[in-house]
Amino acid sequence: MKVVKFGGSSVASAEQILKMIDIVASDADRRIVVVSAPGKRHSDDTKVTDLLIALANTVLEGGDYETDLQQVVSRYAEIQQDLELSESVVATIEADLRGRIENRTTNALQFMDAMKASGEDNNAKVIAAAFNKKGCPAKYVNPGEVGMLLSDEFGNAEVLPESFDQLAELKASSEIIIFPGFFGSTKTGEVATFPRGGSDITGAILAAAVKADVYENFTDVDSVYAMDPRLVPTAPAIERMTYREMRELSYAGFGVFHEEAIIPAVHAHIPICIKNTNRPQAPGTLVTLTREVGDQVVVGIASSDGFCSISIDKYMMNREIGFGRRLLQILEEEGISYEHTPSGIDSISVILKSSELCTQKESVILERIKAELTPDSVEVEYGLALLMLVGEGMHFALGNAAQATRALGDAGVNIEMINMGASETSIMFAVKETDRKKAIHALGESYFG
Ligand code: ASP
């Protein structure tokens, strides 16, 4: 049995939906189909999820939301017309949206989730109708009703463990199941969504619950590439990688697969195959627990902007028991999540996503560090990018850090920080955001020619 997920661009138009139906119909093992909301039809287009967020914001601000609402409805109307489905489909979607707005709760986050979730929910209903029209018996299921239970962290929910047993029952369905991605229900019945891009997570949960033989994730590229092909067009395709490599690369900027979607698949040992809706015959990228390293020491290099560091100096820091714990405790108490902590004998830096620090939070944290840790100096630096060199082979092969630092040095890129964990699956370099592209080209040239 295969669980298949189709991302936003694979369900953005009637043409794409028809390709998807052909893909599912061509393999009798494809029994559970997870769908996103309609995504971009071309590079300047807007995803339905973004249209829904704009609509929800207009409602929350008390504005006239009619134009925003019609923009969403017209995306579905186009699909309905091109698929020659009944006009009542669009009327039902419009009524659904108006219902969500009229019956909204006072909790803005909860309302936002109900609106965002409608993107996948309504698309799944349209897609189920399209399957049936094509003679492929399929049924829409509502995630909350079949046991996709999530925590009540609206916009950032996590699956609750009891979901898996209930969702396992989907295996028994004689019809193909069309399952909307991205959302589920809290224990008290409210709609809650995963983080953005979370339909990948839905697919992984279902694959783990039904113990699928493979989780196929259809997107709009032939495979995962060793580097962002928009920045490095010569980057090779990755045929095989491990869960750990995929997680590291997704975390550090690869947009093809959501970093949190790896976890359910890892726990149940479900292979993940990333494939292209527009070229389903291409083999794609297979992600499994282990791989033959061969000469593919470094599998990929990811990068992303938007980081900052808090750097602290204190003479004899290495002798001060509990310094690191007290520093991290300040962050914990202020509700800040950190990414890395490179350190020296008298210095420690904490790397954070810049979005975690607003001006007010920054001054509270700096004041507390000064008062509670009495450092010699403390500084915040914004505008950092992280580069992540990833490959299980680095555990065995010599000279990877040397090769990377030489490439960066030759390109005139100043390395602000380096971090390598004990697993030796990745090496992280922090550089200035303004140097990121130069650094990526230098590493691309050095590792992939
Ligand atoms: N539609 C949602 C988003 O754009 C979830 C997804 O497509 O995975 O984030």
Side-chain angles (χ1 to χ4, degrees):
M1 182 178 205
K2 294 176 179 171
V3 170
V4 279
K5 180 256 166 179
F6 289 85
S9 61
S10 303
V11 288
S13 64
E15 188 190 351
Q16 292 302 90
I17 292 173
L18 291 173
K19 285 183 196 168
M20 156 192 183
I21 296 175
D22 282 346
I23 292 171
V24 174
S26 70
D27 184 342
D29 289 341
R30 293 180 173 138
R31 307 291 310 155
I32 299 183
V33 181
V34 177
V35 296
S36 282
K40 293 186 179 197
R41 292 159 294 184
H42 46 80
S43 56
D44 303 329
D45 204 9
T46 309
K47 290 171 157 203
V48 162
T49 308
D50 290 314
L51 294 176
L52 287 163
I53 292 172
L55 166 61
N57 279 327
T58 308
V59 172
L60 287 169
E61 286 155 13
D64 178 359
Y65 55 80
E66 213 42 48
T67 316
D68 289 347
L69 186 128
Q70 289 310 329
Q71 268 194 303
V72 177
V73 173
S74 71
R75 285 294 305 268
Y76 291 105
E78 185 188 296
I79 294 174
Q80 168 265 322
Q81 281 157 19
D82 294 348
L83 289 173
E84 295 171 5
L85 298 174
S86 150
E87 275 176 18
S88 65
V89 167
V90 179
T92 310
I93 292 176
E94 183 167 345
D96 171 74
L97 288 169
R98 290 191 191 281
R100 286 176 200 248
I101 294 170
E102 274 150 31
N103 304 324
R104 65 183 179 275
T105 62
T106 46
N107 180 332
L109 286 176
Q110 220 170 302
F111 170 60
M112 184 56 88
D113 269 17
M115 293 304 287
K116 284 193 287 180
S118 75
E120 307 359 65
D121 202 32
N122 286 317
N123 211 25
K125 290 177 186 162
V126 171
I127 288 170
F131 266 82
N132 285 308
K133 186 164 195 291
K134 284 291 237 168
C136 225
K139 73 165 183 219
Y140 154 87
V141 300
N142 178 285
E145 284 169 15
V146 292
M148 179 65 88
L149 291 179
L150 307 190
S151 62
D152 58 5
E153 297 154 279
F154 297 102
N156 195 24
E158 282 184 298
V159 67
L160 299 181
E162 55 266 44
S163 299
F164 290 88
D165 281 347
Q166 292 189 55
L167 293 169
E169 287 170 24
L170 293 176
K171 233 185 333 199
S173 171
S174 56
E175 295 154 297
I176 292 170
I177 285 174
I178 310 295
F179 199 105
F182 191 37
F183 74 96
S185 166
T186 64
K187 277 189 174 164
T188 46
E190 287 96 24
V191 168
T193 68
F194 292 118
R196 289 298 304 272
S199 298
D200 286 346
I201 307 175
T202 305
I205 293 166
L206 291 176
V210 302
K211 307 215 167 15
D213 297 303
V214 59
Y215 169 29
E216 290 181 322
N217 195 287
F218 281 87
T219 173
D220 50 12
V221 285
D222 275 0
S223 60
V224 181
Y225 290 89
M227 298 183 80
D228 184 342
R230 288 164 305 183
L231 295 176
V232 183
T234 53
I238 304 174
E239 280 168 28
R240 189 79 188 249
M241 68 204 297
T242 67
Y243 295 127
R244 200 148 48 157
E245 290 169 333
M246 186 66 175
R247 157 117 173 94
E248 298 254 9
L249 289 168
S250 304
Y251 160 82
F254 274 30
V256 174
F257 194 70
H258 198 290
E259 54 169 312
E260 288 181 30
I262 299 282
I263 293 102
V266 173
H267 286 154
H269 286 199
I270 312 289
I272 302 165
C273 192
I274 313 282
K275 287 178 77 74
N276 190 350
T277 303
N278 305 314
R279 251 169 48 88
Q281 68 281 12
T285 298
L286 186 64
V287 190
T288 48
L289 186 62
T290 55
R291 69 171 170 95
E292 285 291 327
V293 171
D295 53 7
Q296 206 190 7
V297 172
V298 169
V299 83
I301 303 174
S303 68
S304 50
D305 288 339
F307 292 87
C308 65
S309 66
I310 305 176
S311 297
I312 300 157
D313 272 304
K314 186 172 186 184
Y315 194 56
M316 302 292 278
M317 187 189 285
N318 65 322
R319 297 282 301 269
E320 196 173 322
I321 292 173
F323 191 94
R325 181 190 53 75
R326 282 183 285 137
L327 170 61
L328 295 181
Q329 193 165 340
I330 294 175
L331 297 179
E332 183 182 342
E333 286 166 4
E334 298 302 330
I336 302 272
S337 156
Y338 75 95
E339 309 295 318
H340 305 272
T341 51
S343 63
I345 50 168
D346 290 335
S347 64
I348 185 164
S349 296
V350 185
I351 299 185
L352 322 164
K353 293 207 168 101
S354 305
S355 54
E356 291 276 322
L357 273 194
C358 56
T359 324
Q360 198 193 355
K361 268 268 150 78
E362 180 189 319
S363 48
V364 171
I365 286 169
L366 293 186
E367 283 318 310
R368 284 195 61 183
I369 290 176
K370 285 180 197 157
E372 296 169 35
L373 301 173
T374 57
D376 297 332
S377 71
V378 49
E379 255 174 47
V380 180
E381 183 182 357
Y382 284 94
L384 293 178
L386 298 190
L387 310 171
M388 196 76 91
L389 211 67
V390 176
E392 302 263 7
M394 289 196 288
H395 191 65
F396 314 101
L398 299 177
N400 276 291
Q403 184 178 345
T405 49
R406 196 175 314 114
L408 294 174
D410 289 348
V413 174
N414 184 29
I415 301 170
E416 307 271 321
M417 262 168 269
I418 304 183
N419 198 15
M420 184 170 91
S423 74
E424 294 184 58
T425 304
S426 66
I427 307 179
M428 183 278 286
F429 298 99
V431 300
K432 290 211 164 27
E433 278 177 358
T434 44
D435 277 342
R436 178 166 78 101
K437 285 206 175 123
K438 198 160 46 160
I440 276 297
H441 285 127
L443 292 174
E445 181 66 29
S446 171
Y447 281 88
F448 306 114

